[in-house]
Each structure stands twice: as structure tokens, then as C-alpha cells.
Amino acid sequence: MADDPDSDMLSWDESVFRNEHVFEIDYVPETFLHRESQMENLKYALKPAVRGSRPLNVVAQGPPGTGKTTAVQILFDELRAQTDIQAARVNCQVNSTRYAVFSRLFEGVFDYEPPSSGISFKKLFSQVTDKLVEDDEVLVVALDDVNYLFYESEASDTLYSLLRAHEEQGGAKIGVIVVSSDLDLDIIEELDGRVQSVFRPEDVYFSKYDEPAIVEILRERVARGFHDGVVESPVLDRVAELTAEQGGDLRVGIDLLRRAGLNAEMRASRTVERQDVEEAYDTSKYIHLSRRLGELSDSEAALVEVIAEHDGEQAGAIYDVFNDRTGLGYTRYSEIINKIDQLGIIDATYTDVDGRGRSRELTLNYDADAVIERL
Ligand SMILES: Nc1ncnc2c1ncn2[C@@H]1O[C@H](COP(=O)(O)OP(=O)(O)O)[C@@H](O)[C@H]1O
Ligand SMILES: [Mg+2]
């Protein structure tokens, strides 16, 4: 069949997408609406670095999907293009120890990986800082998703090393941007006293986008990602409404748009209809859950599975099943409970058990079937 532009049906070699890449997770948008004041505050904090001084430190917080990582990426791209400042963003979800963080900084400063033979932390640290002093360069470090350093009890040591570098290492100038999506985590409060006394950060808050803002931001993405007329306003409004329902996390909206586009293509339709969005939502609303479960170790996943099968039961009873299945002891069990509680996968609340004191009740924060399906 020849291409017929008037037909409602897509032919094999046609697509609703102009550029599907704009819906991918690591895409950095060309325009960054509604984050002007946050960008300004971040620039203000970094300004001293342009003059060769140590920048102000920053704590950037806000719910997931509010543009924190994007802000750092845009800012760092600008720094690299327009100044001599070294900038390194470290994903703490993947690099959750002090050693791993400094390995990434080494890579940023030297442009090659540190020796895999394993050098001591001390050596790794001094190589990075010596190089900064030698080249007379300022380094700005963003610890992205820093909450993972806290979960592994590595946050204080990491920050301490970064913040004291100028004293210990002949004036190495390092500024830190600490980024967290965990609003329950009181960053300053959770740090050791020795870190608190040297860490006086500026606060930059990334508030939730409201529905009109979501519409505006997503309209821009639609214009770049889809051909003209594929997504009309009512459909976009529905996407924004569902995104707002999921805490305003733009990742949900972007994922919804892409999946709805694929659904339209599946029907060989030239336009995305509301039904395509509703179907996509069944998957998109679980993107947090999928991401969180995907990060778990085998024993952590095993415990989540046991809890899913015994939702709402007491910690003691769940331990018996967990221990049976994995052979792991109570200490490890408690550690894992704390971690998956902090990650928001479960709630572990103390309840009074008659006559036997207090015990923890473990409940899943998601639909049990959805969890089991994704494990
Ligand atoms: N103001 C904005 N304009 C355009 N896209 C945005 C904006 N804020 C966030 N995004 C997009 O939303 C998604 C999530 O943003 P991200 O920066 O990763 O959030 P966070 O780090 O706060 O969880 C990314 O795909 C990003 O491109
Ligand atoms: Mg982020």
C-alpha cells in the first residue's frame, strides 16, 4: 500500500514520533521552565568558584521528578563550556560508598579510571586533591540522590573528606551540592557532629510542579517528540492530571507520553487518544516501584517477596519465613527492614502485642500482586 497522508492509518514505515529519544530517561531538555529561581540560587552559590574561590555548599531537596538532576546537568554543562571549573555529578545510588564517590571524582579530574588493583582511600583522595592544587582548579561535586549514602552509613565520612579537603590538602577547593529526593531525611540532623560543624549549606528547594506547569513542560516535550497533531490538548491535559496524581513526578508524565505513543502505533493510529493514555497509565504509575525493586540485592528482594506474601503480619512471624528461605540471621533481617522502610517500599510500625510488649508490623506500601509481578 502506498503512503496516503490522508489516511487515518499509519503505514509500516511511518511513526507518530518525530524523535522518540526525547522521552528517554537521560535526555537533558533544551528548555527548563519553572525552575528559574532554583537555577539562580545554584548559580549564586557557585559564583565564587568563577573567581577561583571555594564555592558555597548547597543542599537541594524536593520530591522525585522535580528537575533536581536536570538542574545540575544543565548547570554543569554551562560550567564546562564557559569556565575552567571542574564539575562532577556522582550518582550515589550506584556509587554508595565514600570510596566509590572518590573513584568517580578521580575519573572526572583525570579523565581515566583509578587503578582497578585497588589503592587505599587515602591515596585516591590525595591524588584527586593534589591534582586540583597543582592545576589551581576548583572542583564542584554534586552528590546526586545522596540519600543512598545515608542508607549505607557512608554520608558523614564522604562529606567530611570533601569539606575538609582544603585544610588537609594544601588548599584544594571543593564545593558540594547535596541532592536528595527523600523528604523524610533530615540531612543535617543525620550527619555526625564533626560534619555538622563544617557544613553550613545554602538551601535550594525544588517544589512540586502543579498541573498547569506540568502541562506547559510536557507540551514542549510533545512538540519535540511527536509529529504535529498527534497529541491534542485534551489528551495532554489528561496526562498532566495523571502525573499530578502521582505526586507531580514528571518522569511519570514523560513515560506516559511515550507509552501512549507506542499504544497508538500498535493500533496503527496517527493520533494518540485518551484510551492510549489510560492503558499506558497501568504501567507508568508503577515506574517508581519498578525502579526501586530493580535496585534491590537478592536478599533484599527475597524479604520484599516474603512481606508481599504476608502483608501486615508481625516482624517475628515474617522473620521465620525469611530465615527459612534465605538462611540469613536476625541482624541482617533488621538491617534490610530498615532499608526497605527508608526506601518507602514498606512501612514498619511498632504496635503493642498483648502481653508481649511492642513488635513491628510490616506492611507493603504497594499492591502486593503488583510487587510480586515485578520482582
Ligand atoms: N522544568 C522542566 N522542564 C523540562 N523537563 C523537566 C523539567 N523538570 C523535570 N524535567 C524532566 O523530568 C524528568 C525528571 O527530572 P529529574 O531532573 O530527573 O528529576 P529529579 O532529579 O528531581 O528526580 C526528566 O526527564 C527531566 O528531563
Ligand atoms: Mg534525580
Side-chain angles (χ1 to χ4, degrees), residues 127-174:
Q127 288 191 4
V128 171
T129 50
D130 285 351
K131 173 88 165 130
L132 292 174
V133 174
E134 199 180 298
D135 297 352
D136 195 19
E137 272 173 346
V138 182
L139 171 66
V140 181
V141 177
L143 297 177
D144 202 356
D145 290 324
V146 74
N147 35 306
Y148 289 89
L149 287 184
F150 284 90
Y151 304 156
E152 302 294 333
S153 304
E154 293 273 342
S156 286
D157 283 350
T158 307
L159 271 171
Y160 194 71
S161 296
L162 288 169
L163 297 168
R164 296 297 297 268
H166 67 290
E167 287 173 17
E168 290 185 11
Q169 217 66 30
K173 294 166 195 154
I174 300 180

Side-chain angles (χ1 to χ4, degrees), residues 22 24-29 31-35 62-71 73 144-145 179 181 206 209 217 221 249-251 254:
V22 309
E24 280 163 16
I25 198 92
D26 54 356
Y27 174 79
V28 181
T31 46
F32 195 39
L33 301 172
H34 298 286
R35 293 284 88 134
T66 52
K68 299 179 298 296
T69 297
T70 307
Q73 282 171 320
D144 202 356
D145 290 324
V179 182
S181 292
F206 286 69
Y209 297 116
I217 294 167
R221 200 67 64 110
D249 182 343
L250 267 188
R251 240 175 253 121
I254 292 168

